[in-house]
Structure formats: C-alpha cells, structure tokens
Amino acid sequence: MPDRKTALVISAHAADFVWRCGGAIALHQKQGYEVTVVCLSYGERGESANLWKEPGMSLEKVKTARRSEAERAAEALNVHDIQFMDLGDYPLHVDAEAKDRLVDTLRRVRPEFMLSHSKYDPYNTDHMYATQIAMEVRMIAQAWGHKPGEQVLGAPQLYLFEPHQTEQMDWVPNVFLDITEVWENKRAAIECMEGQHHLWAYYTNVAENRANHFRRNSGGQAGGRPAKYAEGFQAIYPRCVDRL
C-alpha cells in the first residue's frame, strides 16, 4: 500500500531495542507505523550474566530465555514483527548470507527510517559492528545491480539510539523524542528483561534525563512541552526539507 508507514530496528542483541528505543517503537506503532525489529543475536554469551548464574544453565537454555523475554517485550511495545537471526554474540559476526537476508528485509519492509547503535563502542564492539552492518545493508539495498529487477530501497534516515556510556561513545544526540504517552509500554517491556534487572532503574533514569533535555530544547520555561520521559537519537544522514 502506498500509504503504508514502516520503520526498522537493527538490534545487536535481543534486549537492546527495549532499553534504547522501546519508546520510539511503541510511539510509532501507536501512530500507525509497522515497526519491524531484527535481533542479530540473543546476547546469550555476553549480556545474560544473571541467567548464567542459575544452576544447570546451558547456551540453548539462555537463548530460549532471552527469546522469550524479547518476545514478551515486543508484545508490550506492540511491535509489528520481531525476527531473530541467531548469529551469535561476543563476538557478533554477520556473514554474506546473513547480509543478503538483511538486504531482503530492508527491501521488503521499505522503512521510512531505521534505528541502530552508536558508531563507536569500545566496551561492546558488537554494538558498533551492528551499525556498520546497518549502513552496509542500507547501501546494498539501494544498489540497482543487487538482484536486478527488484525495487531498490530509497534513502531512509538512520537514527543511532543512546549507548550505555554516552561520554565514551562519540554519540551526540541531535533529536529528542517525547515518549511520555507510551512510557508505561516501555517500562512494561523493560520489566520483561529479567536477565538484566540491574538496568531497569538505569534506563528509567535515562528517559527522565532526556525528558529534561526535551523540555529545554522545546522552549524551556518559555513554553516547552512538559515531557516526563524522552529518548535521544543521533541522525546520520542529512534531512531534505522545504522549510526550516
């Protein structure tokens, strides 16, 4: 349908989309978008410490638990479609076949915008690798010579969502999104991630801090919107506008 509105999230691990852009997902779903989330891995080795502390835990059990958490979180956010590529983590590796699958997904979804990680992350190279892949498959999906005869992708904006230690990541937000009206959805999704309970309060605090920045940049005491929760993003590509 020509008026179909879509967005695509490329998440390195199965929980990343919840912490970093769960509000954007829920808000756009509420606005009529179909948001697809692709989890490149479950984060089974490096981001499941609490699960590994349980007696008798195995790699497959961790994967199963992480998938269940992510599916319940996606339901809380009203995600249109969530896909799990199960490519492994620590380190994440996306081979040529997996890249082709991602390109196929981009051309099928035809997102108005994409979301992924910061371009630099010295603490978790899976994150910045996922964004490298996001930019690469966006480029390939635009190429007329890739699977000639298919409709090529346009030029969706790529927004980089907030990393865990922003000061170390060369990530500078230039977009703030008010997620107050869907905060309860995001908080419910956060609470699905039982394997990373230590991050619940942290990302609640991040949302409150970004709301302060939203209020300040939308007019502050001179009439800014009284946002209570927000998310920050860094836009990568130029915006083409008819007015400023």
Side-chain angles (χ1 to χ4, degrees), residues 57-72:
M57 190 53 65
S58 68
L59 192 64
E60 288 308 312
K61 286 181 180 179
V62 173
K63 286 184 180 183
T64 298
R66 293 283 288 186
R67 179 170 184 138
S68 176
E69 290 177 354
E71 287 175 337
R72 286 187 285 114

Side-chain angles (χ1 to χ4, degrees), residues 134-195:
M135 291 189 287
E136 187 172 332
V137 297
R138 179 186 183 273
M139 175 191 73
I140 297 169
Q142 293 175 313
W144 288 82
H146 178 79
K147 297 184 178 179
E150 288 188 355
Q151 186 177 8
V152 298
L153 186 70
Q157 179 60 264
L158 174 61
Y159 292 105
L160 308 185
F161 42 60
E162 184 157 3
H164 189 64
Q165 299 185 62
T166 56
E167 297 86 353
Q168 311 299 321
M169 311 302 193
D170 294 337
W171 178 87
V172 180
N174 51 25
V175 178
F176 293 107
L177 181 69
D178 181 1
I179 62 167
T180 305
E181 66 179 286
V182 294
W183 170 251
E184 294 305 320
N185 298 78
K186 178 167 183 175
R187 180 64 195 195
I190 285 174
E191 292 182 7
C192 292
M193 311 315 295
E194 297 171 2

Side-chain angles (χ1 to χ4, degrees), residues 33-78:
Y33 281 74
E34 295 178 356
V35 182
T36 297
V37 176
V38 176
C39 297
L40 300 180
S41 79
Y42 292 112
E44 63 272 15
R45 291 186 177 88
E47 301 206 343
S48 304
N50 286 347
L51 293 171
W52 280 111
K53 293 174 184 177
E54 296 178 10
M57 190 53 65
S58 68
L59 192 64
E60 288 308 312
K61 286 181 180 179
V62 173
K63 286 184 180 183
T64 298
R66 293 283 288 186
R67 179 170 184 138
S68 176
E69 290 177 354
E71 287 175 337
R72 286 187 285 114
E75 184 176 356
L77 298 173
N78 298 311

